[in-house]
Amino acid sequence: MSEYKINTKCVQGGYTPGNGEPRQVPIIQSTTFKYDTSEDMGKLFDLEASGYFYTRLQNPTNDTVAAKIADMEGGTAAMLTSSGQAANFFALFNICQCGDHIVSSSSIYGGTFNLISVTMAKMGIETTFVSPDCTEEELNAAFRPNTKAVFGETIANPTLTVLDIELFARVAHAHGVPLIIDNTFPTPVNCRPFEWGADIVTHSTTKYMDGHGAAVGGAIVDSGHFDWMAHKEKFPGLCTPDESYHGITYAEKFGNGGAFITKATAQLMRDFGSIQSPQNAFLLNLGLESLHVRMQRHCENGQAVAEFLQQHPKVAYVNYCGLPGDKYHALAEKYLPNGSCGVVSFGLKGGREAASIFMKSLKLAAIETHVADARTCCLNPASSTHRQMNDEQLREAGVPAELVRMSCGIEDKADLIADLSQALDKIPE
C-alpha cells in the first residue's frame, strides 16, 4: 500500500483478503496455535520462521493492524501494546538498561513524565528534561556519554507545545542515538515524524486512532532508518548476542528495518506480556478506517473553539497552534500544515476557583480523563492527571491550576461553542 495516499491506507492498509476470504480483518481470539511437529514450532522459537505460537508474544489480528499503522507512518515494522504507556516504556527500555540516560522534552503527558522520571529512575535509568523550546546548544548540553535516546511528543498533552522534530533529530543523531516521538495527537494523518528525521514513533491508540473510547491500546513503529551497528557500543542489546534467545544478534539477523521491533517482541513482550487483545485490535482497526475523516472534523472544531475562546473576556490565554498568534504557529505550519488536533487548552482569569466553576457548569462536554474522542470532553489537569506534580513541576510542565484542556469531538461546532459560552457565563465577573 506504500504507493497510496494516507486516506486510502487508513481504509485498506495492512490487510488484503484473498479469494473467498473475510473482507473484514478476522479476530483470531486464541491464546495458542497448533503445529504438527516440535521441529516446526522450534523454528519459531529460533526466529528461523515466521508464525505464531502464543498470543502473549504475537497474534495475527494484532500483526495485521500493526502493519496498517506502520504503513500509515511510513515505517518498516510495528507492534501493538496493551496501552500507550506500555508503548513508551517498551520503546525506551528496548535500548536502555540500568546505568543509562535519556534526554526528554519536559513538555510531555504527566503519566509519561512519571514513568520516565520516577519509575524508570528506580530501574537505574536517569533522565534529563529539557524545554521543548531549548536552543541547539542547550539540547547538546543535556547529553552524557551514556545517553541512549531522545524522547518527545509531536504535540504535547496537555500543553500543546509543538516539538521542533528536525532540531531534536539532528542533535540526537549527532550524538549517535535515536529520536523517539509520541505522535498520538496529530496521528499520521496530520504528521509523519519519520519524514522529519525521527527514528521510532509511538502512539496511544486509545486516543484518535480508536476514536470512540472503546479499546485501550498502544503501538510502536520503527522507521528502519537508524543504523544500530554503526553505534553498536551504545546498544549492546541489539548489537551483541541475546543469550536469552539462542544467542541471536538482532541488528545482524534482522537489519535496521526489523531489529528493534523483533527484539521488543521476542524479549520485552515475552517478559512483560503487555499484549493488546485481538478484540481490541479489531476495534482499533475499525477506528483507523475513519481516522482521516474524523481528524478533519476534530481540527475544524478545535480551530473554531480556539478562536471563540481567544476573544472571550474571562479567558486569560489560549494554547492552540492553529491560531496565528500562537507561540507554535510557525512550527505548526511546517510540521502540521493540514491541521494539528482537536485539543485546545486555555487558562481562566479567575484561576483555580474559576476553573472549578467552569468545569461544574459544562453540559455537553463531559469531565473525563480521556481525550481525543469522537465525543467532546474536558479536564482540569492540575486536579486530575497531573496531580502527582507539585506547583513548581506543574508550572514547568505548563499545566498551572487555571488550565483547562478541552478535547473537541466531532459534534456540531456551534453546539460546542454554546456549551462553552454558558459555562463561562457562570463564572463571576
Side-chain angles (χ1 to χ4, degrees):
M1 297 290 292
S2 59
E3 70 275 17
Y4 290 102
K5 303 294 185 183
I6 187 69
N7 295 355
T8 303
K9 291 178 179 181
C10 285
V11 180
Q12 296 205 29
Y15 177 65
T16 304
N19 188 42
E21 293 182 345
R23 188 65 190 90
Q24 184 54 270
V25 174
I27 306 171
I28 310 301
Q29 193 67 46
S30 179
T31 62
T32 191
F33 302 82
K34 173 189 174 292
Y35 287 90
D36 293 333
T37 70
S38 294
E39 287 75 18
D40 289 339
M41 184 172 285
K43 291 177 182 178
L44 301 177
F45 278 92
D46 290 341
L47 299 180
E48 296 293 340
S50 61
Y52 305 92
F53 52 84
Y54 199 58
T55 285
R56 189 180 82 224
L57 277 86
Q58 287 179 286
N59 176 282
T61 305
N62 293 23
D63 282 0
T64 297
V65 180
K68 172 182 278 192
I69 294 173
D71 196 18
M72 291 166 61
E73 284 285 9
T76 56
M79 66 187 294
L80 299 186
T81 62
S82 58
S83 67
Q85 280 293 76
N88 283 331
F89 174 63
F90 277 20
L92 290 165
F93 196 60
N94 203 34
I95 52 175
C96 294
Q97 61 187 11
C98 182
D100 286 342
H101 175 253
I102 296 165
V103 174
S104 173
S105 168
S106 61
S107 184
I108 55 177
Y109 169 59
T112 309
F113 184 94
N114 193 64
L115 167 69
I116 296 173
S117 66
V118 178
T119 303
M120 292 186 72
K122 293 177 182 178
M123 304 169 73
I125 301 168
E126 295 184 351
T127 300
T128 297
F129 290 96
V130 297
S131 167
D133 309 324
C134 65
T135 65
E136 186 163 349
E137 292 73 22
E138 290 169 335
L139 184 54
N140 271 302
F143 282 78
R144 303 176 186 173
N146 60 337
T147 301
K148 298 299 175 67
V150 178
F151 180 82
E153 296 178 2
T154 311
I155 303 174
N157 175 15
T159 58
L160 303 181
T161 57
V162 178
L163 196 72
D164 190 341
I165 303 173
E166 279 194 319
L167 169 63
F168 274 69
R170 181 171 67 251
V171 174
H173 296 160
H175 290 269
V177 302
L179 172 62
I180 301 174
I181 292 282
D182 185 326
N183 197 38
T184 295
F185 268 11
T187 81
V189 170
N190 285 338
C191 183
R192 284 173 288 282
F194 295 155
E195 296 175 0
W196 302 100
D199 302 289
I200 308 292
V201 158
T202 62
H203 287 277
S204 171
T205 62
T206 316
K207 308 305 189 296
Y208 285 122
M209 283 187 164
D210 165 35
H212 300 85
V216 175
I220 308 171
V221 187
D222 184 6
S223 68
H225 295 156
F226 194 83
D227 190 345
W228 303 106
M229 290 301 291
H231 309 282
K232 59 184 179 181
E233 73 285 351
K234 284 182 174 289
F235 306 105
L238 284 162
C239 302
T240 59
D242 178 3
E243 298 305 330
S244 76
Y245 225 102
H246 319 293
I248 284 174
T249 300
Y250 297 101
E252 289 181 350
K253 186 172 181 64
F254 300 101
N256 295 338
F260 188 89
I261 295 298
T262 302
K263 177 180 180 292
T265 301
Q267 192 182 88
L268 300 188
M269 193 64 81
R270 175 198 66 193
D271 294 343
F272 291 100
S274 299
I275 192 71
Q276 187 170 143
S277 77
Q279 180 68 54
N280 278 12
F282 175 82
L283 294 172
L284 167 59
N285 188 61
L286 292 181
L288 290 172
E289 289 179 355
S290 64
L291 179 63
H292 58 298
V293 180
R294 289 185 287 106
M295 286 307 294
Q296 186 174 4
R297 175 58 70 87
H298 283 299
C299 292
E300 177 187 334
N301 285 354
Q303 185 71 31
V305 163
E307 290 174 358
F308 165 77
L309 290 169
Q310 190 179 44
Q311 303 301 319
H312 200 282
K314 294 180 182 178
V315 175
Y317 56 86
V318 180
N319 300 321
Y320 191 72
C321 62
L323 295 173
D326 188 83
K327 180 178 181 180
Y328 298 98
H329 186 67
L331 284 176
E333 287 190 314
K334 175 180 179 178
Y335 296 120
L336 306 154
N338 298 320
S340 57
C341 63
V343 182
V344 180
S345 66
F346 55 98
L348 296 170
K349 289 181 179 178
R352 186 183 293 270
E353 184 179 352
S356 177
I357 294 170
F358 172 82
M359 296 295 290
K360 290 176 183 177
S361 302
L362 291 168
K363 295 179 180 179
L364 181 61
I367 298 175
E368 301 177 14
T369 57
H370 195 40
V371 70
D373 195 315
R375 292 151 295 212
T376 295
C377 54
C378 250
L379 199 70
N380 176 223
S383 61
S384 52
T385 56
H386 288 60
R387 66 184 301 121
Q388 77 276 13
M389 295 182 177
N390 59 40
D391 287 348
E392 182 180 352
Q393 288 174 322
L394 285 170
R395 286 190 295 271
E396 288 177 357
V399 285
E402 76 277 2
L403 186 79
V404 173
R405 180 189 70 187
M406 182 172 184
S407 175
C408 301
I410 56 175
E411 304 94 343
D412 192 291
K413 59 188 176 185
D415 291 329
L416 298 183
I417 291 172
D419 191 34
L420 283 170
S421 182
Q422 65 83 25
L424 288 166
D425 286 345
K426 300 293 193 304
I427 301 172
E429 294 291 345

